[in-house]
Amino acid sequence: MNREKWRIYNGKPTVPDHLVVPFITGDGIGVEITPAMQKTVDAAVKKAYRGKRSIVWKEVSAGEKSFKATGEWLPDATVKAFDDYLIGIKGPLTTPVGGGIRSINVALRQTLDLYACVRPIRWFKGISSPVKHPEKVDMTVFRENTEDIYAGIEWDKGTPEADKFLTFLCNEMHVEKIRFPQTSAFGVKPVSEEGTKRLVESAILYALENKLPSVTLVHKGNIMKFTEGGFKRWGYELAREAFGDRVFTMTEFEQTVASEGREKANERLENAQQSGKVIIRDVLADAFLQNTLLKPEAYSVIATLNLNGDYISDQLAAMVGGIGISPGANINYQSGHAIFEATHGTAPDIAGENKANPSSLVLSAVMLLEHIGWNEAATMITKAMENCFLNGNATSDLSHFMPNGQHLSTSQFQQALENEIEQVLI
Ligand code: NAD
Protein backbone atom coordinates (compact mmCIF):
# COMPACT_ATOMS: atom_id res chain seq x y z
CA MET A 1 0.00 0.00 0.00
CA ASN A 2 1.26 3.45 -0.86
CA ARG A 3 1.23 5.36 2.39
CA GLU A 4 3.22 8.33 1.21
CA LYS A 5 2.64 11.80 2.46
CA TRP A 6 1.10 14.03 -0.14
CA ARG A 7 2.92 17.05 -1.47
CA ILE A 8 2.24 20.16 -3.49
CA TYR A 9 4.05 20.12 -6.84
CA ASN A 10 3.90 23.29 -8.95
CA GLY A 11 0.93 24.49 -6.93
CA LYS A 12 -1.04 21.27 -7.57
CA PRO A 13 -1.51 18.64 -4.89
CA THR A 14 -0.67 15.03 -5.62
CA VAL A 15 -2.72 12.87 -3.33
CA PRO A 16 -1.77 9.23 -2.76
CA ASP A 17 -4.63 6.72 -3.05
CA HIS A 18 -4.13 5.61 0.54
CA LEU A 19 -3.81 8.95 2.27
CA VAL A 20 -2.50 9.29 5.82
CA VAL A 21 -4.62 11.79 7.76
CA PRO A 22 -3.49 12.75 11.27
CA PHE A 23 -6.40 13.30 13.63
CA ILE A 24 -6.97 14.52 17.18
CA THR A 25 -9.89 12.73 18.83
CA GLY A 26 -10.63 15.74 21.04
CA ASP A 27 -11.90 16.09 24.60
CA GLY A 28 -15.46 15.67 25.96
CA ILE A 29 -17.77 14.61 23.13
CA GLY A 30 -14.72 14.29 20.83
CA VAL A 31 -14.51 10.66 21.98
CA GLU A 32 -17.99 10.07 20.53
CA ILE A 33 -18.09 12.24 17.42
CA THR A 34 -14.61 11.54 16.03
CA PRO A 35 -15.14 7.76 15.58
CA ALA A 36 -18.59 8.55 14.10
CA MET A 37 -16.95 10.90 11.59
CA GLN A 38 -14.28 8.32 10.70
CA LYS A 39 -16.80 5.51 10.14
CA THR A 40 -18.89 7.76 7.90
CA VAL A 41 -15.89 8.88 5.84
CA ASP A 42 -14.60 5.30 5.52
CA ALA A 43 -18.01 4.09 4.28
CA ALA A 44 -18.25 6.85 1.65
CA VAL A 45 -14.65 6.47 0.42
CA LYS A 46 -15.05 2.68 0.21
CA LYS A 47 -18.25 2.98 -1.80
CA ALA A 48 -17.04 5.80 -4.04
CA TYR A 49 -13.70 4.21 -4.98
CA ARG A 50 -14.40 0.49 -4.40
CA GLY A 51 -11.33 0.02 -2.23
CA LYS A 52 -8.90 1.74 -4.62
CA ARG A 53 -8.66 4.65 -2.21
CA SER A 54 -8.74 4.87 1.58
CA ILE A 55 -7.95 7.18 4.47
CA VAL A 56 -5.24 5.80 6.77
CA TRP A 57 -6.09 7.43 10.10
CA LYS A 58 -3.09 8.40 12.26
CA GLU A 59 -3.96 9.44 15.80
CA VAL A 60 -1.99 12.32 17.33
CA SER A 61 -2.63 13.76 20.76
CA ALA A 62 -3.56 17.18 22.13
CA GLY A 63 -5.81 18.70 24.75
CA GLU A 64 -6.80 17.49 28.17
CA LYS A 65 -6.21 13.81 27.36
CA SER A 66 -2.66 14.63 26.25
CA PHE A 67 -2.04 16.91 29.24
CA LYS A 68 -3.07 14.20 31.70
CA ALA A 69 -0.85 11.60 29.98
CA THR A 70 2.24 13.68 29.17
CA GLY A 71 1.94 17.09 30.86
CA GLU A 72 1.74 18.76 27.44
CA TRP A 73 -1.38 20.34 25.92
CA LEU A 74 0.07 20.32 22.42
CA PRO A 75 3.06 17.97 21.98
CA ASP A 76 5.66 18.93 19.34
CA ALA A 77 5.09 15.55 17.65
CA THR A 78 1.47 16.55 16.96
CA VAL A 79 2.43 19.84 15.34
CA LYS A 80 5.10 17.99 13.32
CA ALA A 81 2.55 15.43 12.09
CA PHE A 82 0.21 18.18 10.82
CA ASP A 83 3.21 19.90 9.25
CA ASP A 84 4.53 16.72 7.58
CA TYR A 85 1.22 15.34 6.34
CA LEU A 86 -0.14 18.78 5.34
CA ILE A 87 -3.72 18.08 6.31
CA GLY A 88 -5.46 16.87 9.44
CA ILE A 89 -8.74 16.92 11.32
CA LYS A 90 -9.52 17.57 14.94
CA GLY A 91 -12.33 17.15 17.41
CA PRO A 92 -13.03 19.91 19.96
CA LEU A 93 -10.41 20.59 22.63
CA THR A 94 -10.71 21.89 26.17
CA THR A 95 -9.18 25.34 26.38
CA PRO A 96 -6.47 25.29 29.10
CA VAL A 97 -7.28 27.53 32.07
CA GLY A 98 -4.46 29.51 33.71
CA GLY A 99 -0.84 29.79 32.59
CA GLY A 100 1.07 28.09 29.79
CA ILE A 101 -0.59 27.73 26.42
CA ARG A 102 -3.43 30.22 25.76
CA SER A 103 -5.39 28.15 23.26
CA ILE A 104 -4.40 24.99 21.39
CA ASN A 105 -6.37 26.06 18.33
CA VAL A 106 -4.61 29.42 18.20
CA ALA A 107 -1.19 27.76 18.69
CA LEU A 108 -1.82 25.40 15.75
CA ARG A 109 -3.05 28.24 13.53
CA GLN A 110 -0.02 30.37 14.35
CA THR A 111 2.61 27.63 14.03
CA LEU A 112 1.36 26.49 10.62
CA ASP A 113 0.34 30.02 9.56
CA LEU A 114 -3.19 28.86 8.71
CA TYR A 115 -4.30 32.28 7.53
CA ALA A 116 -7.76 31.51 6.15
CA CYS A 117 -10.60 30.38 8.39
CA VAL A 118 -13.08 28.93 5.91
CA ARG A 119 -16.71 28.39 6.91
CA PRO A 120 -19.26 27.25 4.29
CA ILE A 121 -22.80 28.04 5.43
CA ARG A 122 -25.86 26.46 3.85
CA TRP A 123 -29.24 25.26 5.00
CA PHE A 124 -30.35 21.63 5.14
CA LYS A 125 -34.03 20.98 4.42
CA GLY A 126 -35.74 19.86 7.61
CA ILE A 127 -33.55 21.92 9.97
CA SER A 128 -35.45 24.52 11.99
CA SER A 129 -34.30 28.10 11.37
CA PRO A 130 -35.17 31.51 12.85
CA VAL A 131 -35.52 33.11 9.38
CA LYS A 132 -38.32 32.72 6.81
CA HIS A 133 -36.13 31.72 3.88
CA PRO A 134 -33.03 29.90 5.13
CA GLU A 135 -32.70 28.26 1.71
CA LYS A 136 -31.52 31.63 0.37
CA VAL A 137 -28.40 31.48 2.56
CA ASP A 138 -25.54 29.81 0.70
CA MET A 139 -22.25 31.52 1.47
CA THR A 140 -18.65 30.65 2.23
CA VAL A 141 -16.85 32.96 4.63
CA PHE A 142 -13.08 33.48 4.27
CA ARG A 143 -12.02 35.07 7.54
CA GLU A 144 -8.45 36.35 7.87
CA ASN A 145 -7.01 34.37 10.75
CA THR A 146 -3.68 35.91 11.74
CA GLU A 147 -4.05 39.70 11.96
CA ASP A 148 -6.40 42.45 13.13
CA ILE A 149 -7.29 43.35 16.69
CA TYR A 150 -7.28 39.57 17.36
CA ALA A 151 -3.48 39.38 17.00
CA GLY A 152 -3.25 39.38 20.81
CA ILE A 153 -1.23 42.61 21.10
CA GLU A 154 -2.88 44.29 24.07
CA TRP A 155 -2.04 45.66 27.49
CA ASP A 156 -4.24 45.90 30.56
CA LYS A 157 -5.14 49.16 32.24
CA GLY A 158 -2.56 50.38 34.73
CA THR A 159 0.29 48.07 33.67
CA PRO A 160 3.79 49.48 33.04
CA GLU A 161 3.37 48.42 29.37
CA ALA A 162 0.11 50.34 29.02
CA ASP A 163 1.72 53.39 30.64
CA LYS A 164 4.72 53.15 28.30
CA PHE A 165 2.45 52.80 25.28
CA LEU A 166 0.37 55.79 26.41
CA THR A 167 3.49 57.92 26.88
CA PHE A 168 4.67 56.96 23.37
CA LEU A 169 1.29 57.78 21.84
CA CYS A 170 0.99 61.16 23.58
CA ASN A 171 4.62 62.36 23.49
CA GLU A 172 5.87 60.97 20.21
CA MET A 173 2.76 60.48 18.08
CA HIS A 174 0.99 63.56 19.54
CA VAL A 175 -2.25 61.64 20.00
CA GLU A 176 -4.88 63.70 21.82
CA LYS A 177 -7.96 61.59 21.25
CA ILE A 178 -7.80 59.19 24.20
CA ARG A 179 -10.82 60.07 26.30
CA PHE A 180 -9.73 58.53 29.64
CA PRO A 181 -5.97 57.93 29.29
CA GLN A 182 -5.20 56.81 32.84
CA THR A 183 -7.86 54.09 32.94
CA SER A 184 -7.51 52.82 29.37
CA ALA A 185 -6.40 49.37 28.27
CA PHE A 186 -4.86 49.25 24.79
CA GLY A 187 -4.94 46.92 21.80
CA VAL A 188 -3.17 47.12 18.45
CA LYS A 189 -4.82 46.29 15.12
CA PRO A 190 -2.25 45.24 12.50
CA VAL A 191 -3.67 44.74 8.99
CA SER A 192 -1.16 44.24 6.20
CA GLU A 193 -1.22 44.39 2.42
CA GLU A 194 0.42 40.96 2.22
CA GLY A 195 -1.97 39.37 4.73
CA THR A 196 -4.99 40.85 2.97
CA LYS A 197 -3.89 39.88 -0.52
CA ARG A 198 -3.21 36.22 0.28
CA LEU A 199 -6.64 35.92 1.94
CA VAL A 200 -8.51 37.65 -0.88
CA GLU A 201 -6.62 35.61 -3.47
CA SER A 202 -7.76 32.38 -1.75
CA ALA A 203 -11.37 33.60 -1.72
CA ILE A 204 -11.31 34.50 -5.45
CA LEU A 205 -9.65 31.21 -6.40
CA TYR A 206 -12.32 29.35 -4.41
CA ALA A 207 -15.07 31.27 -6.26
CA LEU A 208 -13.49 30.53 -9.65
CA GLU A 209 -12.92 26.84 -8.91
CA ASN A 210 -16.46 26.37 -7.62
CA LYS A 211 -18.05 28.56 -10.33
CA LEU A 212 -19.52 30.96 -7.77
CA PRO A 213 -20.79 34.38 -8.90
CA SER A 214 -19.15 36.87 -6.54
CA VAL A 215 -16.66 37.70 -3.81
CA THR A 216 -17.70 40.44 -1.39
CA LEU A 217 -15.07 42.25 0.70
CA VAL A 218 -16.68 43.09 4.05
CA HIS A 219 -15.00 45.89 6.04
CA LYS A 220 -15.45 49.07 8.11
CA GLY A 221 -13.14 51.19 5.97
CA ASN A 222 -15.40 54.23 6.34
CA ILE A 223 -14.22 54.56 9.97
CA MET A 224 -10.92 52.62 10.14
CA LYS A 225 -9.53 54.09 6.94
CA PHE A 226 -6.04 52.63 6.91
CA THR A 227 -6.63 49.16 8.38
CA GLU A 228 -10.09 48.13 7.13
CA GLY A 229 -9.91 50.69 4.31
CA GLY A 230 -6.58 49.12 3.35
CA PHE A 231 -8.24 45.68 3.30
CA LYS A 232 -10.76 46.96 0.75
CA ARG A 233 -8.16 48.77 -1.39
CA TRP A 234 -5.63 45.92 -1.41
CA GLY A 235 -8.42 43.42 -2.07
CA TYR A 236 -9.50 45.25 -5.24
CA GLU A 237 -5.86 45.71 -6.26
CA LEU A 238 -5.16 41.99 -5.91
CA ALA A 239 -8.29 41.10 -7.88
CA ARG A 240 -7.16 43.25 -10.81
CA GLU A 241 -3.46 42.31 -10.67
CA ALA A 242 -3.81 38.56 -10.14
CA PHE A 243 -7.04 37.70 -11.98
CA GLY A 244 -7.31 40.27 -14.80
CA ASP A 245 -10.36 39.63 -16.97
CA ARG A 246 -11.49 36.56 -15.01
CA VAL A 247 -13.08 39.05 -12.59
CA PHE A 248 -15.12 42.25 -12.86
CA THR A 249 -14.63 44.68 -9.99
CA MET A 250 -17.05 47.31 -8.74
CA THR A 251 -14.23 49.85 -9.06
CA GLU A 252 -14.36 49.19 -12.83
CA PHE A 253 -18.13 49.61 -12.58
CA GLU A 254 -17.79 52.99 -10.82
CA GLN A 255 -15.19 54.15 -13.36
CA THR A 256 -17.57 53.27 -16.18
CA VAL A 257 -20.39 55.16 -14.44
CA ALA A 258 -18.13 58.24 -14.25
CA SER A 259 -16.88 58.07 -17.83
CA GLU A 260 -19.75 56.52 -19.82
CA GLY A 261 -22.80 56.64 -17.57
CA ARG A 262 -24.76 54.17 -15.44
CA GLU A 263 -26.52 52.43 -18.31
CA LYS A 264 -23.21 51.41 -19.90
CA ALA A 265 -21.84 50.33 -16.49
CA ASN A 266 -24.90 48.12 -15.89
CA GLU A 267 -24.49 46.62 -19.35
CA ARG A 268 -20.83 45.76 -18.60
CA LEU A 269 -21.78 44.23 -15.26
CA GLU A 270 -24.48 42.11 -16.88
CA ASN A 271 -22.09 40.93 -19.60
CA ALA A 272 -19.49 40.02 -16.96
CA GLN A 273 -22.07 38.02 -15.00
CA GLN A 274 -23.25 36.20 -18.10
CA SER A 275 -19.73 35.31 -19.19
CA GLY A 276 -18.97 33.69 -15.80
CA LYS A 277 -16.63 36.36 -14.46
CA VAL A 278 -16.49 36.62 -10.67
CA ILE A 279 -17.90 39.97 -9.53
CA ILE A 280 -15.73 41.60 -6.84
CA ARG A 281 -17.59 44.08 -4.70
CA ASP A 282 -17.36 45.48 -1.18
CA VAL A 283 -19.81 46.39 1.53
CA LEU A 284 -19.56 47.93 4.99
CA ALA A 285 -19.85 45.33 7.74
CA ASP A 286 -22.93 46.88 9.38
CA ALA A 287 -24.81 47.10 6.07
CA PHE A 288 -23.72 43.54 5.29
CA LEU A 289 -25.19 42.20 8.53
CA GLN A 290 -28.52 43.89 7.70
CA ASN A 291 -28.42 42.60 4.13
CA THR A 292 -27.80 39.01 5.24
CA LEU A 293 -31.33 39.18 6.69
CA LEU A 294 -32.92 41.23 3.90
CA LYS A 295 -31.32 39.77 0.75
CA PRO A 296 -28.95 36.88 1.61
CA GLU A 297 -29.20 35.59 -1.97
CA ALA A 298 -27.06 38.58 -3.06
CA TYR A 299 -23.95 37.07 -1.45
CA SER A 300 -21.81 34.07 -2.25
CA VAL A 301 -18.14 34.16 -1.13
CA ILE A 302 -17.24 36.59 1.65
CA ALA A 303 -13.70 37.80 2.36
CA THR A 304 -13.28 39.69 5.59
CA LEU A 305 -11.02 40.60 8.50
CA ASN A 306 -10.61 38.57 11.66
CA LEU A 307 -13.06 40.27 14.05
CA ASN A 308 -15.79 40.90 11.43
CA GLY A 309 -15.40 37.29 10.31
CA ASP A 310 -15.94 35.97 13.81
CA TYR A 311 -19.32 37.71 14.16
CA ILE A 312 -20.38 37.05 10.55
CA SER A 313 -19.68 33.29 10.64
CA ASP A 314 -21.77 32.77 13.75
CA GLN A 315 -24.65 35.00 12.61
CA LEU A 316 -24.89 33.19 9.27
CA ALA A 317 -24.67 29.78 10.94
CA ALA A 318 -27.49 30.78 13.30
CA MET A 319 -29.64 31.88 10.34
CA VAL A 320 -29.59 28.36 8.88
CA GLY A 321 -30.17 26.77 12.30
CA GLY A 322 -26.75 25.25 12.03
CA ILE A 323 -24.74 26.85 14.80
CA GLY A 324 -23.99 23.37 16.18
CA ILE A 325 -23.50 21.65 12.81
CA SER A 326 -21.45 24.17 10.84
CA PRO A 327 -18.15 22.88 9.52
CA GLY A 328 -14.87 24.77 9.41
CA ALA A 329 -11.25 24.65 8.35
CA ASN A 330 -8.10 26.66 8.87
CA ILE A 331 -6.04 26.68 5.70
CA ASN A 332 -2.81 28.04 4.26
CA TYR A 333 -3.51 27.87 0.52
CA GLN A 334 0.14 28.65 -0.31
CA SER A 335 1.79 25.82 1.66
CA GLY A 336 -1.23 23.49 1.43
CA HIS A 337 -1.48 23.06 5.23
CA ALA A 338 -5.05 22.63 6.41
CA ILE A 339 -6.73 21.54 9.61
CA PHE A 340 -10.44 20.73 9.48
CA GLU A 341 -12.39 20.97 12.73
CA ALA A 342 -15.69 20.87 14.54
CA THR A 343 -16.68 24.48 15.18
CA HIS A 344 -18.37 23.79 18.52
CA GLY A 345 -16.68 23.00 21.85
CA THR A 346 -16.32 19.86 23.95
CA ALA A 347 -19.91 20.02 25.32
CA PRO A 348 -18.98 18.74 28.80
CA ASP A 349 -22.68 18.81 29.81
CA ILE A 350 -23.52 15.90 27.48
CA ALA A 351 -20.15 14.15 27.17
CA GLY A 352 -20.35 10.37 27.58
CA GLU A 353 -24.12 10.23 26.96
CA ASN A 354 -24.00 9.09 23.32
CA LYS A 355 -26.22 12.01 22.29
CA ALA A 356 -23.74 14.47 20.72
CA ASN A 357 -24.33 15.53 17.14
CA PRO A 358 -21.35 14.53 14.96
CA SER A 359 -22.54 16.60 11.94
CA SER A 360 -20.14 19.54 12.35
CA LEU A 361 -17.13 17.21 12.31
CA VAL A 362 -18.60 15.03 9.54
CA LEU A 363 -19.18 18.12 7.36
CA SER A 364 -15.65 19.31 8.15
CA ALA A 365 -14.46 15.94 6.84
CA VAL A 366 -16.53 16.63 3.70
CA MET A 367 -14.51 19.86 3.30
CA LEU A 368 -11.33 17.80 3.71
CA LEU A 369 -12.43 15.36 0.99
CA GLU A 370 -13.24 18.29 -1.32
CA HIS A 371 -9.86 19.87 -0.50
CA ILE A 372 -8.03 16.74 -1.71
CA GLY A 373 -10.31 16.36 -4.73
CA TRP A 374 -12.21 13.25 -3.55
CA ASN A 375 -15.47 14.96 -4.50
CA GLU A 376 -17.48 11.79 -5.14
CA ALA A 377 -17.10 10.66 -1.51
CA ALA A 378 -17.79 14.20 -0.28
CA THR A 379 -21.02 14.42 -2.30
CA MET A 380 -22.19 11.04 -1.01
CA ILE A 381 -21.88 12.16 2.61
CA THR A 382 -23.60 15.49 1.94
CA LYS A 383 -26.50 13.76 0.18
CA ALA A 384 -26.75 11.17 2.95
CA MET A 385 -27.01 13.95 5.52
CA GLU A 386 -29.63 15.79 3.44
CA ASN A 387 -31.73 12.61 3.33
CA CYS A 388 -31.34 11.96 7.06
CA PHE A 389 -32.55 15.44 8.01
CA LEU A 390 -35.37 15.33 5.48
CA ASN A 391 -36.64 12.14 7.13
CA GLY A 392 -36.29 13.56 10.65
CA ASN A 393 -33.31 11.34 11.43
CA ALA A 394 -31.18 13.52 13.70
CA THR A 395 -29.69 13.74 17.17
CA SER A 396 -31.91 15.32 19.81
CA ASP A 397 -30.35 18.82 19.60
CA LEU A 398 -31.93 19.07 16.12
CA SER A 399 -34.74 16.50 16.16
CA HIS A 400 -36.59 18.31 18.97
CA PHE A 401 -37.34 21.09 16.48
CA MET A 402 -38.39 18.80 13.62
CA PRO A 403 -42.06 17.84 13.25
CA ASN A 404 -40.95 14.33 12.19
CA GLY A 405 -37.88 14.22 14.52
CA GLN A 406 -36.60 10.78 15.60
CA HIS A 407 -34.21 11.69 18.51
CA LEU A 408 -31.34 9.39 17.49
CA SER A 409 -28.25 8.72 19.61
CA THR A 410 -24.81 9.56 18.16
CA SER A 411 -24.25 5.95 17.08
CA GLN A 412 -27.79 5.57 15.68
CA PHE A 413 -27.39 8.77 13.67
CA GLN A 414 -24.03 7.56 12.37
CA GLN A 415 -25.66 4.28 11.32
CA ALA A 416 -28.46 6.21 9.59
CA LEU A 417 -25.81 8.17 7.66
CA GLU A 418 -24.11 4.94 6.62
CA ASN A 419 -27.43 3.45 5.50
CA GLU A 420 -28.11 6.54 3.40
CA ILE A 421 -24.60 6.38 1.88
CA GLU A 422 -25.44 2.83 0.74
CA GLN A 423 -28.56 4.17 -1.04
CA VAL A 424 -27.07 7.33 -2.56
CA LEU A 425 -26.54 7.38 -6.31
CA ILE A 426 -24.13 9.96 -7.67
P1 NAD B 1 -19.72 24.09 23.65
O1 NAD B 1 -19.79 24.37 22.20
O2 NAD B 1 -18.89 22.94 24.08
O3 NAD B 1 -21.21 23.88 24.23
C1 NAD B 1 -22.24 24.86 24.12
C2 NAD B 1 -23.62 24.15 24.14
O4 NAD B 1 -23.81 23.49 22.88
C3 NAD B 1 -23.73 23.06 25.20
O5 NAD B 1 -25.06 23.07 25.69
C4 NAD B 1 -23.47 21.77 24.44
O6 NAD B 1 -24.11 20.64 24.99
C5 NAD B 1 -24.02 22.10 23.05
N1 NAD B 1 -23.26 21.38 22.01
C6 NAD B 1 -22.04 21.70 21.52
N2 NAD B 1 -21.67 20.82 20.59
C7 NAD B 1 -22.69 19.94 20.44
C8 NAD B 1 -22.88 18.79 19.64
N3 NAD B 1 -21.97 18.39 18.74
N4 NAD B 1 -24.02 18.09 19.78
C9 NAD B 1 -24.98 18.49 20.64
N5 NAD B 1 -24.84 19.57 21.46
C10 NAD B 1 -23.71 20.29 21.35
O7 NAD B 1 -19.19 25.43 24.34
P2 NAD B 1 -18.66 25.67 25.84
O8 NAD B 1 -19.49 24.88 26.81
O9 NAD B 1 -18.60 27.13 25.99
O10 NAD B 1 -17.17 25.12 25.85
C11 NAD B 1 -16.74 23.88 26.42
C12 NAD B 1 -15.24 23.72 26.20
O11 NAD B 1 -14.95 23.64 24.80
C13 NAD B 1 -14.38 24.86 26.75
O12 NAD B 1 -13.17 24.34 27.27
C14 NAD B 1 -14.11 25.69 25.50
O13 NAD B 1 -12.95 26.47 25.66
C15 NAD B 1 -13.93 24.60 24.48
N6 NAD B 1 -14.14 25.03 23.07
C16 NAD B 1 -13.35 24.45 22.13
C17 NAD B 1 -13.52 24.76 20.79
C18 NAD B 1 -12.63 24.10 19.77
O14 NAD B 1 -11.86 23.21 20.10
N7 NAD B 1 -12.72 24.46 18.48
C19 NAD B 1 -14.52 25.67 20.40
C20 NAD B 1 -15.34 26.23 21.39
C21 NAD B 1 -15.14 25.89 22.73
Side-chain angles (χ1 to χ4, degrees):
M1 192 156 57
N2 171 15
R3 291 193 178 193
E4 281 172 49
K5 299 165 193 176
W6 66 308
R7 282 283 163 230
I8 302 274
Y9 293 111
N10 299 326
K12 292 270 171 224
T14 57
V15 182
D17 283 339
H18 302 282
L19 179 69
V20 179
V21 175
F23 73 96
I24 297 170
T25 300
D27 299 319
I29 57 169
V31 179
E32 293 148 78
I33 62 174
T34 299
M37 175 277 292
Q38 290 170 311
K39 277 190 189 171
T40 309
V41 169
D42 288 345
V45 169
K46 189 170 171 202
K47 182 174 175 201
Y49 309 113
R50 296 183 187 85
K52 283 199 190 117
R53 285 177 171 170
S54 68
I55 300 283
V56 182
W57 300 103
K58 176 186 167 68
E59 181 157 21
V60 291
S61 68
E64 204 168 14
K65 189 173 151 195
S66 162
F67 184 71
K68 282 185 182 152
T70 66
E72 285 185 280
W73 286 97
L74 180 61
D76 289 345
T78 298
V79 180
K80 188 169 182 321
F82 285 130
D83 192 3
D84 282 354
Y85 290 95
L86 281 174
I87 57 166
I89 188 160
K90 57 175 276 297
L93 294 170
T94 306
T95 305
V97 181
I101 194 163
R102 196 164 166 185
S103 152
I104 298 162
N105 297 319
V106 173
L108 274 171
R109 276 173 218 167
Q110 284 176 347
T111 313
L112 299 174
D113 194 20
L114 306 174
Y115 60 81
C117 175
V118 184
R119 300 269 299 266
I121 292 137
R122 58 155 288 191
W123 179 66
F124 283 89
K125 232 180 195 166
I127 299 284
S128 161
S129 149
V131 298
K132 280 188 189 151
H133 291 289
E135 73 284 357
K136 291 184 178 175
V137 182
D138 189 0
M139 300 185 211
T140 302
V141 179
F142 278 70
R143 164 186 167 193
E144 206 291 322
N145 227 355
T146 63
E147 300 196 308
D148 200 2
I149 198 76
Y150 270 24
I153 311 168
E154 54 175 7
W155 301 286
D156 200 1
K157 173 203 95 162
T159 58
E161 291 82 5
D163 284 347
K164 199 169 176 180
F165 190 62
L166 177 66
T167 307
F168 169 74
L169 288 179
C170 297
N171 295 353
E172 295 191 42
M173 304 302 284
H174 310 294
V175 170
E176 292 171 353
K177 292 180 188 162
I178 302 166
R179 181 69 183 83
F180 298 109
Q182 298 315 321
T183 59
S184 288
F186 296 97
V188 178
K189 180 181 172 81
V191 177
S192 70
E193 178 177 349
E194 221 172 319
T196 299
K197 285 188 169 176
R198 66 180 185 171
L199 186 272
V200 175
E201 182 181 37
S202 310
I204 298 177
L205 274 173
Y206 180 90
L208 283 166
E209 275 168 19
N210 293 285
K211 300 195 175 7
L212 297 169
S214 65
V215 174
T216 305
L217 311 171
V218 180
H219 61 90
K220 282 292 289 176
N222 56 332
I223 308 293
M224 292 171 273
K225 295 188 190 304
F226 301 121
T227 50
E228 305 234 349
F231 182 87
K232 166 187 162 184
R233 211 170 50 251
W234 298 320
Y236 276 126
E237 252 173 49
L238 177 281
R240 271 196 311 277
E241 288 163 4
F243 295 96
D245 63 5
R246 288 191 285 166
V247 300
F248 180 82
T249 66
M250 290 317 270
T251 40
E252 280 171 78
F253 179 87
E254 292 304 335
Q255 281 159 5
T256 313
V257 172
S259 59
E260 297 172 64
R262 188 159 293 277
E263 208 176 310
K264 188 76 192 163
N266 281 330
E267 191 187 312
R268 289 226 169 112
L269 174 60
E270 216 166 287
N271 286 344
Q273 281 164 332
Q274 277 167 9
S275 62
K277 290 186 183 185
V278 175
I279 309 303
I280 314 293
R281 61 162 88 92
D282 74 282
V283 61
L284 297 178
D286 41 355
F288 174 74
L289 286 171
Q290 286 183 49
N291 289 345
T292 56
L293 293 168
L294 301 172
K295 47 172 185 174
E297 67 279 13
Y299 300 104
S300 176
V301 178
I302 308 304
T304 191
L305 302 102
N306 210 338
L307 176 63
N308 296 338
D310 197 0
Y311 300 151
I312 288 168
S313 308
D314 278 11
Q315 153 153 342
L316 292 176
M319 283 172 63
V320 294
I323 196 103
I325 63 165
S326 296
N330 295 297
I331 305 179
N332 181 323
Y333 284 89
Q334 294 169 346
S335 67
H337 286 111
I339 298 183
F340 300 81
E341 64 178 359
T343 52
H344 54 73
T346 57
D349 52 337
I350 57 163
E353 293 181 21
N354 192 21
K355 63 197 252 193
N357 184 351
S359 302
S360 171
L361 196 59
V362 170
L363 291 171
S364 300
V366 167
M367 290 177 75
L368 184 155
L369 292 168
E370 286 167 349
H371 186 74
I372 60 173
W374 294 10
N375 294 316
E376 300 78 6
T379 305
M380 271 182 192
I381 299 175
T382 308
K383 288 205 166 158
M385 198 172 285
E386 281 170 357
N387 291 344
C388 276
F389 292 154
L390 204 55
N391 298 327
N393 286 325
T395 45
S396 54
D397 54 314
L398 298 177
S399 61
H400 275 305
F401 304 102
M402 296 172 161
N404 57 347
Q406 300 293 324
H407 314 320
L408 303 185
S409 67
T410 309
S411 36
Q412 286 170 330
F413 177 64
Q414 192 284 323
Q415 191 55 56
L417 278 175
E418 240 181 280
N419 295 346
E420 290 292 347
I421 287 170
E422 276 307 309
Q423 307 300 320
V424 165
L425 297 174
I426 59 160

